[in-house]
Amino acid sequence: IHEFKNKQLHIVDFHEYQTKALEIFKKITLKNPLDKSYELSDERIAQYKQSKLEKITDLSVLLAPYYNREEIKTITKKLNITETYAIGIASQNVLYATVNLMVQKPLTYAEKEYIQALTYQASISIQSKVDMNALYEAKIKAEEANKAKNTFLTNISHEIRTPMNTI
């Protein structure tokens, strides 16, 4: 698990209608969106770090630098996308992942709360894993320091005992 540092977003999955969406994207743009990385602005990263479900009025907010408006309109129409949402999976102001939803019908209040809860739980799980990794690394360092201390004491003890034996 790594912090989202390089501002590069990679689309991992299109979920339910993945095949259809991919084919439409490829047909319209002549590009595979899964093969592309998308650079996020500092403003977009700040929005994602808030971990709040945000309704995006236009898909071009996310895709404009990479696809022209006509391509985005055509994609939206062909996939019957009525709303787009974005939310970040972040903890302690560190962004780990993003979730962007393109939906074919408006989300209900309960669905929005459910999405918020799922991403919150993901944030907690990720932070827990990050903390466990940090503890493990600290344990390894402490064991190495203890081994070095024991080696040092063994050597010093020997250095002190050898001259004392002659006395």
Side-chain angles (χ1 to χ4, degrees), residues 2-5 7 40 44-51 87-99 126:
H2 300 286
E3 180 179 349
F4 191 89
K5 289 183 179 177
K7 298 184 181 182
L40 299 177
R44 171 79 7 229
I45 291 173
Q47 284 293 117
Y48 282 130
K49 282 183 177 182
Q50 292 179 14
S51 293
I87 190 168
I89 298 177
S91 181
Q92 298 177 357
N93 204 34
V94 175
L95 181 63
Y96 294 102
T98 65
V99 177
I126 289 171

Coordinates of all heavy atoms in Angstrom, one line a residue, residues 2-5 7 40 44-51 87-99 126:
H2 N 0.7 2.1 -1.0 CA 1.5 3.2 -1.1 C 0.7 4.5 -1.2 O -0.4 4.5 -1.7 CB 2.4 3.1 -2.3 CG 3.3 2.0 -2.3 ND1 4.4 1.9 -1.5 CD2 3.2 0.8 -2.9 CE1 5.0 0.7 -1.7 NE2 4.3 0.0 -2.5
E3 N 1.2 5.6 -0.8 CA 0.6 6.9 -0.9 C 0.5 7.2 -2.4 O 1.4 6.9 -3.1 CB 1.4 7.9 -0.1 CG 0.8 9.3 -0.2 CD 1.7 10.3 0.6 OE1 2.6 9.9 1.4 OE2 1.4 11.5 0.4
F4 N -0.5 7.9 -2.7 CA -0.8 8.4 -4.1 C 0.1 9.6 -4.3 O -0.3 10.7 -3.9 CB -2.2 8.7 -4.2 CG -2.7 8.9 -5.6 CD1 -3.2 7.9 -6.4 CD2 -2.7 10.2 -6.1 CE1 -3.6 8.1 -7.7 CE2 -3.2 10.5 -7.4 CZ -3.6 9.4 -8.2
K5 N 1.3 9.5 -4.8 CA 2.3 10.6 -4.8 C 2.5 11.2 -6.2 O 2.7 12.4 -6.3 CB 3.6 10.1 -4.3 CG 3.7 9.9 -2.8 CD 5.0 9.5 -2.4 CE 5.1 9.3 -0.9 NZ 6.4 8.9 -0.4
K7 N 0.6 11.8 -8.9 CA -0.5 12.4 -9.5 C -1.0 11.7 -10.8 O -1.8 12.2 -11.5 CB -0.2 13.9 -9.9 CG 0.2 14.8 -8.8 CD 0.4 16.2 -9.3 CE 0.8 17.1 -8.2 NZ 1.0 18.5 -8.6
L40 N -3.6 14.0 -12.4 CA -4.6 14.8 -11.6 C -4.0 16.1 -11.2 O -2.8 16.2 -10.8 CB -5.0 14.0 -10.4 CG -5.6 12.6 -10.6 CD1 -5.9 11.9 -9.3 CD2 -6.9 12.8 -11.4
R44 N -7.9 18.6 -7.8 CA -8.6 17.3 -7.8 C -8.1 16.4 -6.7 O -8.9 15.8 -6.0 CB -8.4 16.7 -9.2 CG -8.9 15.3 -9.3 CD -10.4 15.0 -9.5 NE -11.3 16.1 -9.7 CZ -12.4 16.2 -9.1 NH1 -12.8 15.4 -8.1 NH2 -13.2 17.2 -9.3
I45 N -6.8 16.4 -6.5 CA -6.2 15.6 -5.4 C -6.7 16.1 -4.1 O -7.1 15.3 -3.2 CB -4.7 15.6 -5.5 CG1 -4.2 14.8 -6.7 CG2 -4.0 15.0 -4.2 CD1 -2.7 14.9 -7.0
A46 N -6.8 17.4 -3.9 CA -7.3 18.0 -2.6 C -8.8 17.5 -2.4 O -9.2 17.2 -1.3 CB -7.2 19.5 -2.7
Q47 N -9.5 17.5 -3.5 CA -10.9 17.1 -3.4 C -11.0 15.6 -3.0 O -11.8 15.2 -2.1 CB -11.7 17.2 -4.8 CG -12.1 18.6 -5.1 CD -13.1 19.2 -4.2 OE1 -12.9 20.1 -3.4 NE2 -14.3 18.5 -4.1
Y48 N -10.2 14.8 -3.6 CA -10.2 13.3 -3.3 C -9.7 13.1 -1.8 O -10.2 12.2 -1.2 CB -9.2 12.6 -4.2 CG -9.7 12.3 -5.6 CD1 -9.0 12.6 -6.7 CD2 -11.0 11.7 -5.8 CE1 -9.5 12.3 -8.0 CE2 -11.5 11.4 -7.0 CZ -10.7 11.7 -8.1 OH -11.2 11.4 -9.4
K49 N -8.8 13.9 -1.3 CA -8.3 13.7 0.0 C -9.4 14.0 1.1 O -9.3 13.5 2.2 CB -7.1 14.6 0.3 CG -5.8 14.1 -0.3 CD -4.6 15.0 0.1 CE -3.4 14.5 -0.5 NZ -2.2 15.3 -0.1
Q50 N -10.4 14.7 0.7 CA -11.5 15.0 1.6 C -12.4 13.8 1.9 O -13.1 13.7 2.8 CB -12.4 16.1 1.1 CG -11.6 17.5 1.1 CD -12.5 18.6 0.6 OE1 -13.7 18.4 0.4 NE2 -11.9 19.7 0.3
S51 N -12.2 12.8 1.0 CA -13.0 11.5 1.1 C -14.5 11.7 1.2 O -15.2 11.0 2.0 CB -12.5 10.7 2.3 OG -11.2 10.3 2.1
I87 N -14.8 10.1 -5.4 CA -14.5 10.0 -4.0 C -13.1 9.5 -3.8 O -12.7 8.6 -4.6 CB -15.5 9.2 -3.2 CG1 -15.3 9.4 -1.7 CG2 -15.5 7.8 -3.6 CD1 -16.4 8.9 -0.8
G88 N -12.4 10.0 -2.9 CA -11.0 9.5 -2.6 C -11.0 8.5 -1.4 O -11.9 8.6 -0.5
I89 N -10.1 7.6 -1.5 CA -9.8 6.7 -0.3 C -8.6 7.3 0.3 O -7.5 7.1 -0.2 CB -9.7 5.3 -0.7 CG1 -11.0 4.8 -1.4 CG2 -9.3 4.4 0.4 CD1 -11.0 3.4 -1.9
A90 N -8.8 8.0 1.4 CA -7.7 8.7 2.1 C -7.8 8.5 3.6 O -8.8 8.3 4.1 CB -7.7 10.2 1.7
S91 N -6.6 8.7 4.2 CA -6.6 8.7 5.7 C -5.5 9.6 6.1 O -4.4 9.6 5.5 CB -6.3 7.2 6.1 OG -6.3 7.2 7.5
Q92 N -5.7 10.4 7.1 CA -4.8 11.3 7.7 C -4.2 12.2 6.6 O -3.0 12.4 6.5 CB -3.7 10.6 8.5 CG -4.3 9.8 9.7 CD -3.2 9.1 10.4 OE1 -2.1 9.0 10.1 NE2 -3.7 8.4 11.5
N93 N -5.0 12.7 5.7 CA -4.7 13.6 4.6 C -3.7 12.9 3.6 O -2.9 13.6 2.9 CB -4.1 14.9 5.1 CG -4.3 16.0 4.1 OD1 -5.2 16.0 3.3 ND2 -3.3 16.9 4.0
V94 N -3.7 11.6 3.5 CA -2.9 10.9 2.6 C -3.8 10.1 1.6 O -4.7 9.4 2.1 CB -1.9 9.9 3.3 CG1 -1.2 9.0 2.2 CG2 -1.0 10.6 4.2
L95 N -3.7 10.4 0.4 CA -4.6 9.8 -0.6 C -3.9 8.4 -1.1 O -2.8 8.4 -1.5 CB -4.7 10.7 -1.8 CG -5.6 10.2 -3.0 CD1 -7.1 10.0 -2.5 CD2 -5.6 11.2 -4.1
Y96 N -4.7 7.4 -1.1 CA -4.3 6.1 -1.5 C -4.9 5.6 -2.8 O -4.3 4.9 -3.5 CB -4.5 5.0 -0.4 CG -3.7 5.3 0.9 CD1 -4.3 5.8 2.0 CD2 -2.4 5.0 0.9 CE1 -3.6 6.1 3.1 CE2 -1.6 5.2 2.0 CZ -2.2 5.8 3.1 OH -1.5 6.0 4.3
A97 N -6.2 6.0 -3.0 CA -6.9 5.5 -4.2 C -8.0 6.4 -4.5 O -8.4 7.2 -3.6 CB -7.3 4.1 -4.1
T98 N -8.6 6.3 -5.7 CA -9.8 7.1 -6.0 C -10.9 6.2 -6.6 O -10.5 5.1 -7.1 CB -9.5 8.2 -7.0 OG1 -9.1 7.6 -8.3 CG2 -8.4 9.1 -6.6
V99 N -12.1 6.6 -6.4 CA -13.2 5.8 -7.0 C -14.0 6.9 -7.8 O -14.4 7.9 -7.2 CB -14.1 5.2 -5.9 CG1 -15.3 4.5 -6.6 CG2 -13.3 4.2 -5.1
I126 N -6.9 0.4 5.1 CA -5.6 0.8 4.5 C -4.7 1.5 5.6 O -3.5 1.1 5.7 CB -5.8 1.8 3.3 CG1 -6.4 1.0 2.1 CG2 -4.5 2.5 2.9 CD1 -6.8 1.8 0.9

